[in-house]
Amino acid sequence: MNVDALLTGIYDHLPDLVDAAVDGLSPEQLCRRPGPGANPVGWLVWHLTRIQDQQVAELLGVDQVWVTGDRAARFGLTADPADTGYGHTPEQVATVRPDSAQALVDYHRAVAERTRTFLAGLRPADLDRVVDESWDPPVTLGVRLVSIAADDLQHVGQAAYLRGLLRS
């Protein structure tokens, strides 16, 4: 199996998992916290998409999908490319208010398509390219792509679990 097929296979699971996590949930359910300070389904899916969007855009040297069109407005936010949810306080989490499950799906699918296009052109040697020298050891493209996928899979799993709590 070649490297782009392997990575594409991993990332191609995410849109369906996102869809399943939010399908049929109302805006209120997307924002409902299972307990004080906990993150709701809508925030988790927004955050995992924001991280992938920010990281892949940086790797490509292009603007994030987030800052195009009316995406941010559909979440009650401004199109701040630095706002990914990382380090959000409970008050900041509460400001992320998707207008529908479809807003989350649409945003994630747009980011997933960009990621898929990026992955399609990779060769094994590309994965050894250092993309961040601020860490010791420096982070390679391969490590970054695995890290993004791992983070996304963890958060979509959390969202799916919370969906089950909401629907029970």
Side-chain angles (χ1 to χ4, degrees):
M1 174 180 278
N2 59 27
V3 68
D4 63 319
L6 177 64
L7 288 168
T8 300
I10 293 168
Y11 279 90
D12 276 356
H13 285 291
L14 288 165
D16 290 338
L17 295 171
V18 164
D19 290 357
V22 302
D23 183 48
L25 295 181
S26 68
E28 176 197 63
Q29 290 171 313
L30 291 169
C31 295
R32 187 176 303 148
R33 294 177 178 202
N39 298 324
V41 171
W43 185 90
L44 287 164
V45 172
W46 170 82
H47 170 65
L48 75 87
T49 306
R50 288 292 301 119
I51 293 296
Q52 185 178 342
D53 188 11
Q54 179 195 49
Q55 297 283 329
V56 172
E58 183 178 314
L59 292 170
L60 289 167
V62 299
D63 288 337
Q64 298 171 29
V65 172
W66 180 247
V67 301
T68 63
D70 68 344
R71 291 192 197 286
R74 294 187 71 190
F75 292 83
L77 301 169
T78 60
D80 179 357
D83 185 11
T84 64
Y86 184 76
H88 265 188
T89 64
E91 294 76 26
Q92 289 170 307
V93 169
T95 67
V96 179
R97 304 201 54 85
D99 65 18
S100 65
Q102 194 63 49
L104 290 158
V105 168
D106 291 346
Y107 177 40
H108 187 79
R109 289 207 177 262
V111 171
E113 183 57 36
R114 174 182 274 176
T115 301
R116 186 176 225 292
T117 300
F118 173 62
L119 296 175
L122 291 181
R123 295 185 191 100
D126 296 332
L127 299 180
D128 293 327
R129 178 172 56 91
V130 172
V131 296
D132 188 346
E133 294 186 9
S134 67
W135 295 90
D136 185 20
V139 176
T140 63
L141 177 59
V143 168
R144 177 64 46 87
L145 290 171
V146 169
S147 174
I148 296 166
D151 187 69
D152 283 0
L153 289 166
Q154 179 178 355
H155 287 317
V156 80
Q158 293 168 341
Y161 178 78
L162 288 178
R163 175 196 170 77
L165 291 177
L166 290 170
R167 304 293 268 184
S168 62

